[in-house]
């Protein structure tokens, strides 16, 4: 198969400042364990934060899959060996203020406000909370509410009492107009937040939904002028991109750390909040049948596939500076890979999981340019409809070489995965919208039934497919006897189709992640050493692509992408599972 590797494919030249509980409950009272040993009934896990600060988590915060609703529980805050007592505070004295910085923008409207509303609807926000939009645009509270209500086209809108709940929710939403680099404007925001907080102990969450070049300005102002001042926590959710290479990412982290501790920084990768990505560890570690197979011994290759059936439409200005490798592969697909391939963590605590992910990332072989295929979509007319080329986007410079498609072969040089190709493929303006993980198993040695498959043994390999989206499913392709008197085999699916199995809707990734940030749960956020390792892997090849001004292969809008992606796979004796003969569309 390696001979198929075509030379026409270009790419192949020959804690917050105070300690806080990572709890899924909202703080009510500070309690001494020494004087109240009975409270150990409420406690089970002693965790060590990344910065070394010890915290205690309630029993319920065990990722058992069930996230209880907020209720009054004592807050435990440890100061060295001492635990403070304060029986005075109850839930009515604690509040959370969530400031959406960049509230007038696309992400805020599309994802953040709808997710906050869904959390409110489901009863996951504490009794006292305030949501404040912050941006430069001039808007009144009423205008913000109108904007938010129009964009609440989320999964909740068909539900019982939705309008009533929405009204109640909107009453808690306010707006403050200001510059992102003005401490004075943030001080005015602080004043406004204090009015809404009404003297309660305040916890503050800032969501940076703004372009990356103003992240640091906003963090500086928020931290210096609008942090929680009365013993509550202050956390900041930072959106991607976290830099565009190792150097810029490290510089961003250094700048953020002038104003925040690592434990206050919540770097979001929304793919980690997707239901099936969250389920990966459950599948692996709670089913005896999978974990023993999870290695080079049984797995032939792993494929991580992302495709969108639309182009960069409207986001070309941002995209052209990054390209598909930085937009999707270096973060979303690599994060999935790390979760997929990590060793069993010591526990489900954030630091234990992130430690294992870092180890995988640091065991990865540098990516070679010849193991990367680049593509860019060109215009195409289908059914009388003309679809634009990437460079037709007015915000994209003419002649841009930025890839809108990439495929790559990656390897993990450790005992578990030695020699197993992890193939990634990500593209915009392709024939479908899909994100999935495909695990192709080895051929059955000495298979008695080989002759039933003819010469093509690949058609008989077992394949586990985890369809992250859309229409979430986990299915295993197995060989099965077709009922009848003869001995005909076919490939069938053992199919866990979520829509058929579960009546409950699947929450949006942003709901899970926002709730985790409010609760101080860091498991699904990217730690700085993970980020460094991810950039170390991709930076050299990205530099080479840019230095050599590699021309991408042009593929028609709406097609299956560059042909060279097939040659890359063939080089490692792999067939892309999403393009196989028996793929359900
Ligand atoms: N949109 C999406 O689907 C996704 C976005 N992201 C990330 O989320 C963040 C926000 O994205 P998105 O909402 O699309 O961004 P927008 O371009 O919509 O910007 C958000 C807000 O920031 C302000 N803003 C925009 N450009 C500038 C500028 N040059 N200088 C100062 N302020 C500016 C504007 O508000 P105003 O003028 O009122 O101040 C705007 O409404 C980005 O970091 C993005 O990379 C991540 C994943 C997906
Ligand atoms: O982070 C990003 O993700 C979106 C795709 O997210 P999804 O949840 O809709 O699959 C992608 O369109 C965008 O380019 C990228 O920045």
């Amino acid at each position: 198969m390696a001979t198929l590797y075509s030379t026409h494919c270009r790419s192949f030249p020959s804690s917050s400042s105070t300690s806080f509980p990572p709890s899924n409950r909202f703080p009510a009272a500070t309690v001494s364990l020494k004087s109240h040993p009975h409270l150990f009934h409420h406690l089970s896990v002693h965790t060590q934060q990344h910065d070394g600060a010890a915290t205690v988590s309630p029993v319920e915060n065990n990722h058992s899959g069930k996230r209880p609703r907020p209720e009054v529980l004592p807050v435990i805050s440890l100061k060295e060996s001492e635990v403070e007592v304060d029986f005075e505070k109850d839930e009515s004295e604690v509040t959370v203020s969530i400031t959406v910085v960049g509230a007038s923008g696309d992400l805020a409207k599309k994802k953040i406000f709808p997710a906050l509303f869904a959390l409110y609807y489901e009863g996951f926000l504490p009794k006292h909370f305030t949501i404040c939009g912050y941006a430069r645009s001039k808007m009144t509270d009423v205008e913000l509410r109108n904007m938010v209500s129009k964009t609440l086209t989320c999964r909740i809108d068909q539900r019982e009492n939705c309008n009533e709940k929405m009204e109640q929710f909107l009453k808690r939403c306010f707006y403050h107009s200001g510059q992102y680099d003005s401490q004075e404007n943030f001080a005015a925001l602080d004043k406004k937040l204090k009015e809404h907080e009404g003297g309660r102990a305040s916890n503050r969450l800032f969501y940076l939904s703004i372009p990356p070049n103003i992240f640091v300005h906003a963090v500086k102002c928020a931290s210096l002028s609008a942090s929680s001042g009365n013993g509550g926590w202050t956390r900041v959710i930072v959106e991607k991109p976290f830099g565009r290479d190792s150097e810029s990412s490290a510089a961003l982290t250094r700048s953020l750390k002038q104003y925040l501790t690592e434990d206050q920084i919540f770097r979001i990768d929304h793919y980690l909040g997707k239901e099936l990505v969250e389920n990966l560890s459950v599948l692996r570690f709670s089913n005896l049948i999978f974990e023993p197979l999870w290695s080079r011994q049984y797995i032939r290759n792993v494929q991580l596939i992302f495709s969108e059936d639309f182009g960069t439409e409207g986001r070309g200005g941002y995209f052209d500076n990054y390209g598909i490798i930085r937009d999707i592969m270096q973060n979303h697909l690599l994060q999935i890979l790390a979760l997929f391939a990590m060793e069993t963590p010591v526990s489900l605590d954030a630091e234990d999981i992130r430690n294992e992910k870092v180890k995988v990332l640091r065991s990865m072989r540098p990516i070679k340019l010849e193991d990367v295929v680049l593509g860019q979509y060109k215009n195409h007319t289908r059914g009388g409809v003309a679809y634009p080329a990437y460079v037709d986007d007015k915000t994209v410079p003419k002649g841009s070489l930025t890839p809108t498609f990439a495929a790559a072969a990656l390897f993990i040089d450790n005992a578990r995965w030695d020699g197993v190709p992890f193939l990634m493929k990500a593209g915009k303006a392709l024939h479908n919208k899909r994100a999935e993980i495909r695990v192709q198993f080895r051929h059955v040695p000495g298979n008695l039934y080989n002759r039933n498959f003819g010469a093509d043994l690949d058609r008989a390999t077992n394949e586990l497919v985890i369809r992250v989206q859309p229409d979430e499913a986990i299915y295993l392709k197995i060989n099965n006897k077709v009922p009848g008197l003869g001995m005909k085999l076919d490939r069938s699916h053992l199919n866990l189709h979520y829509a058929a199995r579960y009546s409950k809707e699947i929450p949006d990734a942003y709901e899970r992640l926002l709730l985790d940030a409010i609760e101080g749960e860091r498991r699904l956020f990217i730690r700085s050493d993970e980020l460094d390792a991810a950039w170390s892997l991709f930076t050299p090849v990205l530099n080479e692509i840019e230095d050599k001004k590699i021309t991408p292969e042009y593929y028609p809008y709406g097609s299956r992408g560059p042909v060279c992606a097939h040659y890359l796979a063939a080089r490692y004796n792999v067939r892309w599972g999403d393009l196989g003969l028996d793929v359900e569309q």
Side-chain angles (χ1 to χ4, degrees):
M1 266 178 137
T3 50
L4 279 178
Y5 202 51
S6 165
T7 46
H8 88 267
C9 290
R10 177 290 327 145
S11 318
F12 319 112
S14 11
S15 129
S16 74
S17 47
T18 55
S19 170
F20 47 81
S23 139
N24 49 8
R25 306 301 174 120
F26 287 90
T30 314
V31 179
S32 164
L33 292 184
K34 276 188 197 151
S35 47
H36 301 278
H38 61 281
L39 285 174
F40 275 110
H41 290 147
H42 292 292
L43 309 172
S44 72
V45 200
H46 230 103
T47 58
Q48 195 71 28
Q49 291 178 9
H50 189 50
D51 65 358
T55 59
V56 181
S57 312
V59 181
E60 295 81 355
N61 193 21
N62 60 2
H63 313 298
S64 56
K66 196 158 183 271
R67 200 193 282 269
R69 294 187 178 206
E71 62 182 51
V72 178
L73 249 204
V75 62
I76 312 296
S77 83
L78 288 180
K79 278 191 186 160
E80 295 176 352
S81 59
E82 190 71 45
V83 181
E84 287 198 340
V85 189
D86 181 357
F87 284 109
E88 300 308 307
K89 288 182 180 163
D90 64 23
E91 200 207 9
S92 62
E93 291 182 70
V94 183
T95 183
V96 174
S97 297
I98 302 163
T99 303
V100 182
V101 183
S104 55
D106 180 58
L107 186 72
K109 286 186 227 168
K110 224 170 48 186
K111 293 289 184 183
I112 304 171
F113 286 113
L116 288 169
F117 174 57
L119 290 177
Y120 174 73
Y121 185 97
E122 300 281 357
F124 281 117
L125 292 184
K127 187 169 162 207
H128 294 288
F129 71 92
T130 303
I131 292 176
C132 190
Y134 184 99
R136 297 171 309 178
S137 303
K138 299 279 175 244
M139 241 191 281
T140 61
D141 291 345
V142 172
E143 284 166 335
L144 173 88
R145 288 171 191 158
N146 282 340
M147 182 195 91
V148 171
S149 66
K150 275 190 216 126
T151 58
L152 287 185
T153 52
C154 57
R155 64 190 180 88
I156 306 293
D157 66 356
Q158 304 297 326
R159 295 245 217 115
E160 211 182 318
N161 300 332
C162 184
N163 286 341
E164 198 182 303
K165 288 264 190 183
M166 199 185 293
E167 243 173 68
Q168 290 161 2
F169 172 77
L170 290 173
K171 279 189 196 149
R172 315 283 279 273
C173 295
F174 304 90
Y175 184 74
H176 188 79
S177 167
Q179 300 295 322
Y180 301 108
D181 58 356
S182 163
Q183 284 191 47
E184 206 184 329
N185 292 168
F186 273 85
L189 167 73
D190 179 62
K191 194 161 165 251
K192 195 175 268 184
L193 291 179
K194 281 194 176 118
E195 282 164 21
H196 293 295
E197 288 162 356
R200 295 181 184 89
S202 68
N203 296 308
R204 290 193 179 169
L205 177 65
F206 292 87
Y207 195 126
L208 297 192
S209 184
I210 44 178
N213 57 321
I214 46 177
F215 283 170
V216 178
H217 297 297
V219 162
K220 177 181 174 188
C221 296
S223 159
L224 298 180
S225 304
S227 283
S228 162
N230 54 7
W233 48 254
T234 301
R235 296 176 189 146
V236 179
I237 298 183
V238 184
E239 260 296 347
K240 60 177 273 248
F242 316 118
R244 62 187 307 284
D245 53 23
S246 291
E247 207 180 313
S248 53
S249 165
L252 175 63
T253 296
R254 270 198 308 278
S255 302
L256 294 177
K257 285 190 178 173
Q258 284 181 272
Y259 308 105
L260 301 170
T261 62
E262 174 67 19
D263 277 342
Q264 290 179 281
I265 306 172
F266 287 67
R267 296 179 193 82
I268 198 165
D269 181 317
H270 76 279
Y271 265 63
L272 290 182
K274 295 206 183 251
E275 187 63 38
L276 271 81
V277 177
E278 174 81 327
N279 191 42
L280 251 181
S281 296
V282 179
L283 193 70
R284 259 188 87 179
F285 300 123
S286 76
N287 291 296
L288 184 69
I289 58 164
F290 290 119
E291 187 50 21
L293 303 181
W294 224 253
S295 74
R296 64 191 299 277
Q297 220 180 331
Y298 296 103
I299 292 180
R300 202 152 54 100
N301 66 75
V302 180
Q303 304 176 17
L304 303 146
I305 299 172
F306 167 96
S307 66
E308 278 181 343
D309 55 2
F310 48 89
T312 54
E313 283 119 61
R315 290 188 76 217
Y318 149 79
F319 190 86
D320 201 68
N321 191 27
Y322 291 90
I324 198 79
I325 296 180
R326 292 184 178 93
D327 192 44
I328 303 293
M329 279 188 170
Q330 181 271 351
N331 36 70
H332 304 328
L333 295 189
L334 191 64
Q335 283 296 321
I336 297 178
L337 181 150
L339 275 179
F340 179 96
M342 70 182 181
E343 296 299 314
T344 313
V346 174
S347 77
L348 291 174
D349 281 354
E351 301 322 328
D352 288 332
I353 293 175
R354 298 193 294 185
N355 288 344
E356 293 309 327
K357 283 166 64 194
V358 174
K359 281 192 218 160
V360 171
L361 297 176
R362 292 181 55 201
S363 306
M364 293 185 74
R365 197 185 297 171
I367 303 168
K368 289 192 273 175
L369 183 60
E370 60 261 37
D371 281 341
V372 178
V373 171
L374 303 174
Q376 188 187 91
Y377 62 89
K378 59 183 182 184
N379 63 0
H380 182 59
T381 302
R382 194 168 8 108
V385 182
Y387 295 91
Y390 171 66
V391 287
D392 291 341
D393 185 329
K394 287 192 175 48
T395 55
V396 171
K398 290 283 160 248
S400 167
L401 297 178
T402 299
T404 59
F405 174 99
L410 293 90
F411 292 88
I412 304 170
D413 286 335
N414 67 13
R416 186 185 284 267
W417 297 113
D418 190 10
V420 177
F422 283 76
L423 293 184
M424 282 186 183
K425 186 163 71 160
K428 290 190 175 272
L430 293 172
H431 74 297
N432 67 7
K433 175 168 168 56
R434 192 166 287 191
E436 58 190 14
I437 307 164
R438 287 178 175 263
V439 187
Q440 294 185 344
F441 291 89
R442 295 195 180 281
H443 299 141
V444 177
N447 189 342
L448 283 175
Y449 293 97
N450 274 355
R451 65 188 176 85
N452 299 64
F453 303 113
D456 190 358
L457 283 187
D458 280 358
R459 297 197 60 162
T461 45
N462 295 124
E463 184 171 327
L464 175 68
V465 182
I466 299 165
R467 192 160 67 222
V468 176
Q469 66 185 31
D471 202 16
E472 292 79 352
I474 300 172
Y475 57 92
L476 180 63
K477 295 184 185 177
I478 57 157
N479 301 307
N480 199 50
K481 179 180 171 302
V482 178
L485 297 180
M487 180 51 73
K488 189 166 178 284
L489 304 194
D490 76 355
R491 263 233 290 199
S492 295
H493 293 179
L494 296 178
N495 193 354
L496 170 54
H497 183 216
Y498 272 49
R501 172 70 182 89
Y502 301 107
S503 54
K504 199 165 169 17
E505 305 147 81
I506 295 182
D508 188 78
Y510 284 87
E511 290 170 38
R512 188 188 313 278
L513 294 169
L514 271 160
L515 185 55
D516 279 354
I518 294 169
E519 291 179 346
E521 170 55 71
R522 294 172 177 72
R523 194 170 43 99
L524 301 179
F525 293 89
I526 317 292
R527 208 168 62 187
S528 67
D529 54 347
E530 278 185 85
L531 184 61
D532 294 345
W535 276 123
S536 301
L537 187 62
F538 278 97
T539 297
V541 77
L542 283 164
N543 286 343
E544 207 178 336
I545 289 167
E546 280 156 17
D547 290 348
K548 292 186 174 158
K549 296 192 173 32
I550 304 288
T551 308
E553 180 184 332
Y554 295 97
Y555 60 96
Y557 193 119
S559 68
R560 287 167 187 257
V563 174
C564 290
H566 298 279
Y567 292 117
L568 172 67
R571 184 184 199 192
Y572 294 105
N573 290 321
V574 178
R575 275 185 208 179
W576 290 108
D578 62 328
L579 303 176
L581 295 173
D582 57 355
V583 172
E584 59 314 325
Q585 295 302 319

